[in-house]
Amino acid sequence: MDKEDSVVRRTGAKLRHFRILKGISQEQLALDCDLNINTIGMIERGQKNPTIYTLQRICDGLGITLATLFLYDESSDTAAEDTIQRIEAVLRQMPRQDVERVARIVEELSGFGH
């Protein structure tokens, strides 16, 4: 397997992880992203190298950013990652001022900047 195949397969596996975490089927994700279900399946299996535009559409459907997709490390603490993803999904639905308040609370709890 060459490097490109490895990247395509890892990206597909990450997308599958986030889809399952969200609790939706490939069919639902395909509908949410206006993509063919076969396309979603092929991407998740690493059989299709999606364009950045397609990845953005899928990430939007999953409620994650492209940065989250590419920065996610599947060897990290899965429970912690799942919790972070749930928090991110909730924050994305909140008004900006509430997100800022949550950020200040988290910083205070963590002693960030102290």
Side-chain angles (χ1 to χ4, degrees), residues 5-113:
D5 286 342
S6 176
V7 170
V8 171
R9 287 179 26 156
R10 283 194 328 260
T11 301
K14 289 179 185 184
L15 289 169
R16 179 183 303 114
H17 167 81
F18 288 117
R19 178 182 57 76
I20 292 169
L21 183 63
K22 188 171 180 177
I24 62 173
S25 66
Q26 286 182 343
E27 182 178 18
Q28 184 59 54
L29 181 58
L31 288 170
D32 293 346
C33 302
D34 194 29
L35 292 170
N36 184 293
I37 187 173
N38 294 326
T39 299
I40 296 293
M42 290 175 67
I43 291 169
E44 285 189 359
R45 290 187 302 275
Q47 297 171 329
K48 183 174 179 68
N49 187 355
T51 66
I52 195 73
Y53 175 71
T54 298
L55 285 176
Q56 180 65 64
R57 289 168 60 186
I58 295 170
C59 286
D60 288 347
L62 293 171
I64 64 171
T65 64
L66 281 169
T68 298
L69 175 65
F70 289 115
L71 292 176
Y72 176 73
D73 178 7
E74 56 270 356
S75 68
S76 64
D77 179 357
T78 303
E81 282 297 325
D82 291 350
T83 302
I84 290 168
Q85 294 308 313
R86 287 188 3 247
I87 292 168
E88 181 181 358
V90 170
L91 288 172
R92 291 193 178 286
Q93 303 302 314
M94 295 172 67
R96 179 178 170 83
Q97 68 270 17
D98 290 345
V99 172
E100 291 295 330
R101 289 190 355 227
V102 170
R104 287 193 299 275
I105 292 167
V106 171
E107 289 169 352
E108 185 68 32
L109 288 172
S110 70
F112 183 77

